[in-house]
Each structure stands twice: as structure tokens, then as C-alpha cells.
């Protein structure tokens, strides 16, 4: 049995057993292989196998039966949520008050962190490595760290980003890259570059609520096309929207869309890029989750299919390495000159020390090693959280089973209002994101988004159990006859 360098052997055994459950080789009620049999099959000690089984029992995935062994527990399999209605007419956006209430959860240690996406657990962040590298670059280049960086950003960091893109078929040169203060600045610069107030932009539904807030801030109108949890964007929906509306630009997330985790197929990506280019509509691509795939191969970007320079690729290291460093980047294609102008008049340049440290982190090959460990942890968190949502939430609950990314998209039964649910959960010290902030329309009133950041622990388990009890209570109240 092979294990990652940073992974304990019992965790590798956990992954093996979860894989058997996930593929259906072991189903609810099945007995797990004996300690001795699995020890022989995986070339691991009996104590290692036992530790893995005990840990799976603690997480509620299996149960032990006296003098019998361990068995797979039997929560129900959650069906996939609906994708909402079809294309909606252009309309102004206003969700600011509720979005701000959700964003108040950022950085709050008193809330169980199920509402904000970030690898919140210290065990998943390369803090010690980054601290060592930061100390080294500050010691060796103290004056450079104090100086303004160039407007496009640290050259070594841009080189490393370019090399990383080659790994998944996205070709661009270091001089094509602009470093930004997180992906949100990249998206802001993109829309400032290609739109003007009053323009109409094409977005997915549901989509990241900060996109909606940004579109509102810039005075834009939105056309929504459905994101399908199981297959992402349908090129036919984009074609219909282009035929019906005067669309200036599009903002899409093809790889593990936030919040429904959808993954658009490679053939659909290629068709969408060609279709938008033929109509002269620039495509702003958010790819902050592409590196967090659970499969063997990283999905390609829209940018990989771009032959005209009309795709603006945006990403960051906030969801993978260091949220607090606020280092993002963009490849603006044919819009580079205007993007640089807007960058320069927004904040001149991004901070020097964090760029220097991340450049060295990537140069030493530490990013790929870190990603392997992070993907394993989030994949495991997905499986365990789905198990507990299935066990503790009411009948009729639906949830996505994403192939990557950092979120679950959950549809609550019984007409539970997600806004009421959000405020009640917050009063109990639990953060969630209500579904209604992910659309300009009133479509996702019974949805919530749960974050997969961090590692599973007793705090998260208690949080999911309480959220399930709250959902049951609210669904039951809605079903009672009025007096």
C-alpha cells in the first residue's frame, strides 16, 4: 500500500475503506474485512488497521458490534438537488444586507466554520513552511521586500504560475500574468476592463454571491443561466441567452462552481469558448477551485481552449495555500493593457513580501506536494459530511456529491426558509450560507451551502447534528396546520 509522505498510515487505511464504500464495494450493513485480512492485504500492522476502524467509528461511518466486528452504518443516500428554473430576464441585483451578514462570519473563531470557504484548519495550511520561507526571503532580500513591486507583479511568481498552468494544458507566458489582491480583485479588474455601467453580463445560477455583489457595485445587469449540479453549464443555454439578449460579457466558473460544485465537461468548455468568441463576448473565468479535484487529472480551464485572447482567466492561492496572504492572479489575454491601467489606478501593485514567499514556495516544488495532501483531506471531509447530513437531516433532504472544490449544496425539505435558518443557526454559533444570496432571483429559498474546509472534528460533528435537528424542527413547524 502506498501512502503520501505527509499522511499517517492509518489515514491511508481510512481512505481505502472510504473508497470501498464510495464505489459501492461495501454497502450499508456490510461487514468490514477483519483486522487480520486487511492487515495482510494492505501490508499494514493490525494496530494500524484497528486505529483506522476506530477513527471511522468516531466519525460515524462504521459501527462496531461486540464479538462480531465493524459494519458500515446505513444513512440514506441523498439525492441531487434541483438546478432551479431556466434562463431569467436581466434585472438589477440587490442582496447586499444579507450578503454582508454572511461575510461577518469571516475570521470569527466563535462560529463553527461551515459557512465560509477556506482551508480553515491549521493542519491543512503550510504555515510552518511559509513562515520559514518568508523569514528566508526577508533576510536575504530585505530591501526588495520593502519596495514597490512592479504593477504586473513579482516575475518569479508569474513564472511559477505559468509553469503550473502547463501542467493542465493552459499555456500562457509569465508576461501574460498580472498579480492581484486575491481573485476578487482579478474579477473586479476584469469587469472594469470589459464593461460599463448599464451593460448586461451572463452569469451562472447559482453563482458565488460576491460576484453578484460586484456586479451590483459596478452598475451592471445580470442574465442567469442554470448551473446543473451533475454536469455544469449547458452550451445550449448560453446560445439561447445570446440569441435573446444583448450581452456584453460573461462570468463563469466551469470547475467546481461555488456553490453547487458542478463540473462542466471538456467538450462543453470548448464549445462555450468558441460560441462566445464568435459572438464577440469576452469570458471571465473563475478557476479558484480547479486545483482541488478529487480525481486523478485536473480539469482544464476555459483558457486552455482560447485561441482569440477573449478569455480572462482569474484565480488565487486563497483556497489552497494562504487565505491571509491575499495573492491572486489573472491572465487578461487581449485586454492586458487596459487591465494594467485599472490595476495601477486601483492599488498600484500587490504586496511584495507575500509574492516573494509564494514564489519561493512554488519554486521549491512544495505546492504540488501540499495539494496532494489537501485534496485527500477535503475529499475525506466530503464523504464524512455527506454521511452525517444523511444521518441527521430530515427525510427529503438533497445534497450534491461534488468531484472537487470545497462545498456541499444542500436542499432542505418541508419549505424551510434558508434566511430564517441562517439566522437561527448563527444564533446557535454555527455559520452557514443561505441559498438565496447565490442568485438574483428568488429560486433557492430552501438551500444552504456548507463548507468542506478544515478537517473533521467533534466541533464540526456537533455543528452538523445541531443543523440537522434545526432543519427537522423547522420542517415540522411548517407542516403543522395553522390555527
Amino acid at each position: 500500500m502506498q501512502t503520501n509522505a505527509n499522511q499517517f498510515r492509518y489515514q491511508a487505511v481510512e481512505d481505502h475503506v472510504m473508497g470501498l464504500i464510495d464505489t459501492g464495494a461495501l454497502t450499508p450493513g456490510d461487514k468490514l474485512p477483519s483486522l487480520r485480512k486487511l492487515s495482510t492485504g494492505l501490508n499494514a500492522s493490525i494496530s494500524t488497521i484497528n486505529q483506522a476502524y476506530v477513527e471511522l467509528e468516531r466519525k460515524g461511518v462504521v459501527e462496531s458490534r461486540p464479538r462480531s466486528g465493524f459494519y458500515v452504518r446505513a444513512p440514506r443516500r441523498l439525492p441531487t438537488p434541483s438546478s432551479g428554473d431556466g434562463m431569467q430576464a436581466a434585472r438589477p441585483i440587490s442582496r447586499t444586507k444579507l450578503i454582508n451578514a454572511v461575510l461577518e462570519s469571516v475570521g470569527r473563531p466563535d462560529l463553527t466554520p461551515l459557512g465560509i470557504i477556506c482551508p480553515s484548519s491549521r493542519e491543512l495550511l503550510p504555515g510552518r513552511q511559509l513562515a520559514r520561507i518568508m523569514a528566508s526571503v526577508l533576510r536575504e532580500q530585505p530591501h526588495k521586500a520593502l519596495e514597490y513591486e512592479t504593477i504586473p507583479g513579482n516575475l518569479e511568481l508569474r513564472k511559477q504560475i505559468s509553469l503550473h498552468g502547463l501542467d493542465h494544458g493552459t499555456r500562457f507566458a509569465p508576461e501574460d500574468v498580472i498579480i492581484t489582491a486575491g481573485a476578487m480583485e482579478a474579477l473586479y479588474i476584469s469587469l472594469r476592463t470589459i464593461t460599463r455601467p448599464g451593460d448586461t453580463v451572463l452569469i451562472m445560477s447559482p453563482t458565488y454571491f460576491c460576484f453578484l455583489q460586484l456586479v451590483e457595485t459596478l452598475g451592471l445587469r445580470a442574465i442567469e443561466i442554470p448551473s446543473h449540479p451533475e454536469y455544469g453549464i449547458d452550451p445550449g443555454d448560453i446560445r439561447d441567452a445570446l440569441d435573446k439578449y444583448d450581452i456584453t460579457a460573461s462570468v463563469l466558473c466551469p470547475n467546481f462552481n461555488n456553490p453547487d460544485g458542478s463540473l462542466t465537461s471538456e467538450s462543453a468548455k470548448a464549445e462555450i469558448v468558441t460560441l462566445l468568441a464568435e459572438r464577440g463576448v469576452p469570458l471571465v473565468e473563475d478557476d479558484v477551485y480547479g486545483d482541488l479535484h478529487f480525481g486523478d487529472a485536473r480539469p482544464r480551464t476555459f483558457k486552455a481552449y482560447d485561441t482569440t485572447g477573449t478569455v480572462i482567466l482569474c484565480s488565487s492561492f486563497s483556497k489552497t495555500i494562504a487565505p491571509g496572504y491575499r495573492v491572486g492572479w489573472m491572465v487578461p489575454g487581449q485586454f492586458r493593457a487596459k487591465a494594467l491601467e485599472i490595476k495601477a489606478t486601483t492599488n498600484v501593485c500587490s504586496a511584495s513580501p507575500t509574492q516573494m514567499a509564494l514564489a519561493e514556495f512554488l519554486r521549491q516544488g512544495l505546492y504540488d506536494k501540499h495539494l496532494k495532501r489537501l485534496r485527500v483531506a477535503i475529499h475525506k471531509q466530503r464523504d464524512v459530511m455527506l454521511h452525517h447530513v444523511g444521518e441527521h437531516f430530515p427525510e427529503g433532504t438533497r445534497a450534491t456529491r461534488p468531484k472537487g472544490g470545497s462545498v456541499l449544496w444542500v436542499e432542505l425539505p418541508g419549505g424551510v426558509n434558508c434566511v430564517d435558518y441562517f439566522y437561527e443557526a448563527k444564533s446557535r454559533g454555527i455559520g452557514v450560507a443561505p441559498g438565496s444570496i447565490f442568485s438574483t432571483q428568488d429560486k433557492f429559498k430552501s438551500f444552504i451551502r456548507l463548507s468542506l474546509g478544515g478537517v473533521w472534528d467533534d466541533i464540526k460533528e456537533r455543528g452538523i447534528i445541531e443543523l440537522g435537528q434545526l432543519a427537522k424542527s423547522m420542517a415540522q413547524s411548517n407542516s403543522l396546520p395553522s390555527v
Side-chain angles (χ1 to χ4, degrees):
M1 177 179 64
Q2 295 180 341
T3 62
N4 294 331
N6 293 323
Q7 189 182 21
F8 293 111
R9 290 184 66 80
Y10 82 86
Q11 291 176 318
V13 176
E14 279 189 70
D15 292 343
H16 176 78
V17 175
M18 289 301 300
L20 294 175
I21 296 172
D22 195 37
T23 59
L26 288 174
T27 59
D30 285 350
K31 184 178 181 180
L32 270 61
S34 69
L35 300 180
R36 188 173 302 279
K37 181 177 180 180
L38 201 58
S39 171
T40 301
L42 297 181
N43 192 27
S45 68
I46 290 179
S47 63
T48 296
I49 305 298
N50 184 69
Q51 185 179 5
Y53 281 11
V54 169
E55 183 65 16
L56 287 169
E57 182 181 28
R58 187 186 71 81
K59 293 174 178 176
V61 178
V62 304
E63 61 184 0
S64 62
R65 299 177 185 174
R67 295 185 296 278
S68 181
F70 290 87
Y71 291 79
V72 180
R73 295 187 67 180
R76 65 188 183 279
R77 178 86 175 193
L78 298 170
T80 302
S82 59
S83 57
D85 299 326
M87 181 171 54
Q88 302 289 331
R91 63 184 292 181
I93 296 169
S94 182
R95 291 287 190 275
T96 299
K97 184 176 179 181
L98 185 55
I99 290 173
N100 288 340
V102 175
L103 290 175
E104 288 173 1
S105 301
V106 175
R108 282 187 54 177
D110 58 317
L111 289 178
T112 301
L114 297 174
I116 299 298
I117 305 175
C118 88
S120 54
S121 173
R122 293 181 180 180
E123 296 96 322
L124 298 184
L125 297 175
R128 292 184 181 276
Q129 290 175 314
L130 283 174
R132 173 181 56 79
I133 290 173
M134 179 68 82
S136 175
V137 298
L138 292 178
R139 183 173 59 252
E140 295 173 5
Q141 304 180 72
H143 298 296
K144 182 173 177 57
L146 296 176
E147 297 171 352
Y148 284 119
E149 188 47 87
T150 61
I151 295 172
N154 181 277
L155 179 57
E156 181 60 34
L157 178 56
R158 289 186 284 133
K159 287 180 179 178
Q160 294 301 322
I161 291 171
S162 176
L163 289 172
H164 182 65
L166 289 175
D167 292 341
H168 51 85
T170 308
R171 294 180 176 272
F172 50 84
E175 54 266 26
D176 297 328
V177 181
I178 300 174
I179 304 301
T180 61
M184 278 308 300
E185 189 190 24
L187 292 163
Y188 167 79
I189 292 172
S190 299
L191 287 177
R192 278 282 311 278
T193 297
I194 60 178
T195 66
R196 295 294 180 269
D199 285 347
T200 298
V201 297
L202 186 70
I203 62 174
M204 302 165 69
S205 179
T207 193
Y208 181 34
F209 56 81
C210 282
F211 290 173
L212 302 180
Q213 203 169 33
L214 176 59
V215 169
E216 179 183 4
T217 299
L218 295 176
L220 304 172
R221 297 168 67 85
I223 293 289
E224 297 190 10
I225 59 169
S227 172
H228 303 273
E230 295 182 313
Y231 61 86
I233 311 166
D234 184 341
D237 289 332
I238 290 184
R239 184 179 295 104
D240 291 344
L242 293 173
D243 289 341
K244 189 173 182 180
Y245 299 101
D246 181 16
I247 294 172
T248 304
S250 56
V251 183
L252 304 174
C253 179
N255 295 328
F256 317 122
N257 176 48
N258 174 13
D260 66 358
S262 65
L263 175 63
T264 301
S265 72
E266 298 304 317
S267 61
K269 289 175 190 172
E271 185 177 349
I272 289 167
V273 170
T274 300
L275 179 61
L276 290 171
E278 289 174 348
R279 304 291 186 98
V281 177
L283 168 55
V284 180
E285 175 178 14
D286 172 39
D287 189 52
V288 297
Y289 305 105
D291 282 342
L292 298 178
H293 58 92
F294 302 152
D296 294 333
R298 188 200 194 279
R300 301 181 78 182
T301 61
F302 278 135
K303 189 68 177 176
Y305 300 99
D306 180 24
T307 60
T308 62
T310 53
V311 175
I312 304 178
L313 174 61
C314 303
S315 190
S316 83
F317 297 106
S318 295
K319 301 297 186 283
T320 53
I321 302 179
Y325 275 36
R326 306 306 304 132
V327 175
W329 53 274
M330 62 187 299
V331 181
Q334 65 173 252
F335 309 104
R336 182 175 184 274
K338 184 64 175 179
L340 280 172
E341 177 187 326
I342 294 172
K343 170 67 179 177
T345 55
T346 301
N347 58 13
V348 182
C349 62
S350 297
S352 299
T354 50
Q355 291 187 66
M356 295 164 65
L358 285 184
E360 184 62 15
F361 185 82
L362 269 66
R363 191 193 68 80
Q364 292 183 17
L366 298 175
Y367 185 46
D368 288 338
K369 295 178 182 178
H370 165 68
L371 279 177
K372 290 178 181 178
R373 178 172 177 259
L374 181 61
R375 287 196 292 259
V376 167
I378 298 177
H379 192 177
K380 184 183 299 183
Q381 177 95 327
R382 183 206 71 173
D383 291 342
V384 174
M385 189 173 289
L386 278 172
H387 178 94
H388 282 272
V389 170
E391 184 170 5
H392 298 292
F393 277 59
E395 289 290 339
T397 298
R398 296 171 174 263
T400 54
R401 194 176 188 84
K403 299 177 182 177
S406 298
V407 293
L408 292 183
W409 186 230
V410 180
E411 184 176 7
L412 302 175
V416 173
N417 182 284
C418 67
V419 177
D420 295 338
Y421 187 89
F422 160 74
Y423 281 112
E424 181 60 31
K426 190 175 182 180
S427 72
R428 301 183 184 196
I430 308 170
V432 300
S436 58
I437 63 174
F438 295 93
S439 170
T440 66
Q441 315 292 329
D442 297 324
K443 294 194 297 184
F444 302 106
K445 294 180 179 179
S446 294
F447 286 73
I448 59 170
R449 187 197 69 185
L450 298 177
S451 169
L452 300 178
V455 294
W456 188 258
D457 56 21
D458 292 341
I459 295 175
K460 288 187 177 64
E461 182 175 358
R462 288 195 298 270
I464 289 295
I465 292 172
E466 185 153 3
L467 288 177
Q469 292 171 345
L470 175 60
K472 289 178 180 177
S473 173
M474 294 180 71
Q476 185 177 18
S477 296
N478 290 342
S479 67
L480 294 177
S482 57
V483 179

